[in-house]
Amino acid sequence: MSASKEDDGGLAKTDEIPNAGFRLPPEMLQAMQDVFPSNDPLDKPDFSVVDYINGLFPTEQSLSNIDDAIFKVKTEIRDLDAEIRDTLHQQTEAGDEGQRALRNAQGAIAQLFVQIRDIKQKAEKSEEVVKEITCDIKQLDHAKKNLTASITTLNHLHMLVGGVDTLESLQSRRQYGEIANLLHGLMNVLEHFDKYLVIPEIRILADRLAKIRQELGTQLLSDFQSAFSAASAKQGTPSSQLADACRVVSVLDPKIKKELLAWFIKMQLSEYLVLFEESQDTAWLDKIDKRFNWLKMFLVDFEKRFGPMFPTDWEMSERITLEFCDITRTELGNIMASRRNEIDVKLLLYAIQRTMTFEAFLNKRFPRLTVTATAEPASLPALTSVSDQKLLSVVEYPDEKNPFEEGSGSGPKEELKVADLPPKLDASPFQGIISRCFEPFMDIYVESQDRNLTELMDRFVEDFRTRGIPKPTEAALQEGGLGIVLPSCADLFVFFKKCMLQCGQLTYGGQALVQLTGVFRKYLKAYASRMLIANLPKTLSTSASIAAATSGLLQTFMKEGEAAPTRMTEEELRKICSILTTAEYCCETVQQLEDKLKEKAGPTFALEIDFAAEQEVFNNVITTSIQLLVNDLETSCEPALIAMTKRQWLSVEAVGDQSGFVTAILSHLRTTLPTLRTYLSSSRKFFTQFCIKFANTFIPKYIAHIYKCKPISPVGAEQLLLDTHMLKTVLLDLPSLGSQISRKPPASFTKIVLKGMTKAEMILKVVMAPHDSPKIFVEKFLQLLPDSDTNELQKILEMKNVRRGDQAVFSDLYRNQAPSTSQSHAAHAHGDVSALSGGGGGGGGEPESGRIKKLEMLIRNRL
């Protein structure tokens, strides 16, 4: 800006004036801006006089218009002053107008209050006038109501007095048709006098009516007994008088009706009690159909003769049927208890089947029964679903489902014929009303199934003895699955399922299923012992096999890897694998059998069903089978390991190809592993367990045989290290050895192999290290084998052919350095080969490094 200093000084002073004056808060300034938006720079809160003047006069030439600017500013000031004065005048006048409006509103409110009070007074006066006008009308209305009630009561009283007299007359003449209509009306009329019973006359009439009802009840019972006396019960015919009497009974006390029905039904069933008395031949179970046929014929005759006499709502046929069922259940229970030794399973099943068929017939005959039985079943379990009524065929695991999975169908191999039972029905009074009497005798059925299972188990054993393991089907051969489940196993579980379904259909309680569970457990253990454990190959123990192999090797030893130990045949291996897969199938199916039994037995008996012990038996069979496979493969490798220890390792002058014992071991592995993998294709997890167990057994044995390779030279140790590395590579690929599909081995298996074979490599590297300086050698030992002990150090020194007297120096150094060195190197127990092989001081460092590099090159060329 080019204004003069003098002007700047003046402007500066003017700029200080507002700074010292009154300042509004920023919130208020923002609110004013929102209410009265303005773009005028003079209205800005941060207005600067200097900036504003500099904006008006940016150059010295612009000062020539200063007079016009001053005039314009003064004009604005005058306009603002005038606007402020007008605003002040308006605000003053607005205050006065507000006061006047407030006073007017208060006056209007006072007038309104006076008007409301006047209206209220007038309304009260009007109400008094209306009450005076309608007072007489209300009195007349009340009088009308009282008169109407009096007339109605008098009419009812007249009806009651006349009706009681008429009822007494009709009673004496036994005109039950008129009595039924009149008595029902009188009972309704008497209800209107409940609040007047304190009046003596009303009480007398009520007592007379009660006496008439009581006399009618006695009279009706007498008339029925006379009409249906014992001598004329069969010849008795219904009459209109008895039909009207039944209508009267419906109006009387319910006890009269109950007493009459009990007598009449007992009288009608008296012939049944005589015909099927316990001493009669027709009372036994083999003639049980005659009981049911008697009822069917009786109901036909009864409904034809007496159906019109009894009211429909009495449901006489249903009541007679329920009483018949109760009597039959009691009679059958008594006669079976007295002649229990005469009941066999066929007779029992026949009786149950015919009884359940009859119950199903009754349920269809009376679909809408409202009468309840006198002794209903307590708490019936859940009914068997329709799908559970189908029995299953023999299952070939693992291609098809087991017998206890939903949706399976029946097949041609079934041998146990389930009784042709009707499906259980939805809850009804006839469900189990008779057949419950057979439940205390279901132990006969369970014992029969026990005998059937004994015969079945004997047949299984004989078939296996004569036929052995069945040949695989063409489909199994195409899929490569040769280790199949024994057919007898599937047959056994199909038999179990049939027994379970049949027992569930025969009973409504769970006690019989609990007894059947005990039989199942017995024969599951028998199957495991007689069919699985008993048929495992009877081989020599591991130690005996090793001894026999060693003696043969000593006699025929000519070169490495040519020993021929006693091994299992391929057929024996297939048998072991088949037994293993069968045990696995049994273990899984037993759990589903337990779940099904608990479901059908209900929560009351579910706690008594447990197959944990049987599952443990089958798990032990699996463990034993895997151990036998491991022992066989281990036995085949034993001669090669012995040959390894017999080799003159001290005379090895150069590192060459892999040794003969490695070739022999790899040959056994490549021959055995694909076969076992094929046999266990349906049980992949157990093949993995076999590999893990073999690694856990073979690697420690291999390390033990390494210690026996003494004495050994550094070059011999290099050769053995090469052999160990080759063996390690093959072992890491053991689960997929010889397979066209390469799968990554489980992490647990890889960890076992790496840990064990790495230790073997570290042992050989220690053997390769020079021992000229005991201190350096011990440091090397602790570095490569931080978790070792004095015994391992002594074995390594023996391998290096160190004299026993010189070994004391190494042992003392180890004892002194072991605590600190082991702690410092514990985290590096499995360090990389280059770092570990580079250790070792003195003049022996370079030759060892060269040997390690040469060894690595040979390994890479070999791989």
Side-chain angles (χ1 to χ4, degrees), residues 361-586:
F361 163 77
L362 293 181
N363 190 71
K364 294 179 180 179
R365 175 66 177 79
F366 306 111
R368 299 181 180 178
L369 180 64
T370 58
V371 182
T372 56
T374 56
E376 288 193 39
S379 58
L380 301 181
L383 301 179
T384 307
S385 62
V386 176
S387 62
D388 287 339
Q389 296 162 19
K390 298 180 179 180
L391 300 177
L392 307 180
S393 62
V394 177
V395 178
E396 292 188 3
Y397 180 84
D399 298 328
E400 297 186 14
K401 298 181 179 179
N402 64 67
F404 300 98
E405 291 186 355
E406 296 295 336
S408 301
S410 61
K413 295 187 180 180
E414 298 175 1
E415 295 185 0
L416 174 65
K417 299 299 181 182
V418 179
D420 186 16
L421 298 173
K424 288 187 179 179
L425 308 169
D426 294 335
S428 72
F430 297 111
Q431 178 176 294
I433 191 171
I434 301 177
S435 56
R436 284 187 295 117
C437 68
F438 298 106
E439 292 188 6
F441 305 93
M442 285 303 294
D443 58 323
I444 298 174
Y445 169 79
V446 174
E447 292 172 0
S448 172
Q449 300 308 320
D450 192 333
R451 293 190 295 271
N452 291 337
L453 281 168
T454 300
E455 297 175 0
L456 187 65
M457 196 64 61
D458 293 339
R459 193 186 57 165
F460 288 163
V461 174
E462 181 62 23
D463 289 347
F464 191 88
R465 186 182 64 81
T466 56
R467 301 177 185 177
I469 301 293
K471 300 297 181 182
T473 61
E474 294 183 2
L477 290 173
Q478 293 176 0
E479 297 176 2
L482 302 179
I484 62 173
V485 174
L486 296 179
S488 59
C489 173
D491 291 341
L492 179 66
F493 281 104
V494 168
F495 189 95
F496 284 171
K497 172 124 191 192
K498 293 175 183 178
C499 293
M500 179 184 67
L501 291 180
Q502 188 180 40
C503 186
Q505 289 287 346
L506 294 175
T507 63
Y508 291 97
Q511 187 60 45
L513 287 173
V514 173
Q515 297 176 2
L516 197 61
T517 298
V519 175
F520 290 169
R521 295 181 60 186
K522 171 184 175 182
Y523 286 96
L524 283 172
K525 292 179 179 177
Y527 187 85
S529 61
R530 298 182 62 185
M531 287 296 298
L532 301 183
I533 299 176
N535 288 309
L536 287 172
K538 302 299 186 294
T539 59
L540 296 174
S541 63
T542 304
S543 58
S545 299
I546 294 174
T550 305
S551 61
L553 178 66
L554 293 176
Q555 295 175 5
T556 61
F557 181 80
M558 292 183 295
K559 59 179 182 179
E560 300 172 1
E562 291 187 354
T566 302
R567 289 202 61 191
M568 296 182 188
T569 64
E570 184 174 351
E571 183 64 22
E572 289 176 330
L573 291 178
R574 192 163 74 90
K575 181 186 292 187
I576 294 176
C577 293
S578 182
I579 291 175
L580 190 152
T581 53
T582 301
E584 178 195 11
Y585 172 76
C586 291

Side-chain angles (χ1 to χ4, degrees), residues 159 180-190:
M159 292 171 59
N181 297 327
L182 180 59
L183 183 60
H184 186 270
L186 289 178
M187 295 303 299
N188 292 333
V189 170
L190 187 60

Side-chain angles (χ1 to χ4, degrees), residues 97 320-321 382 409 526 822:
E97 291 178 358
I320 292 174
T321 302
S822 298

Side-chain angles (χ1 to χ4, degrees), residues 110 120 194 214 306 347 426 439 495 563 632 657 714 738 749 782:
K120 183 178 179 182
D194 287 343
Q214 184 177 2
F306 300 104
L347 182 60
D426 294 335
E439 292 188 6
F495 189 95
D632 178 68
D657 204 350
F749 173 77
L782 290 171

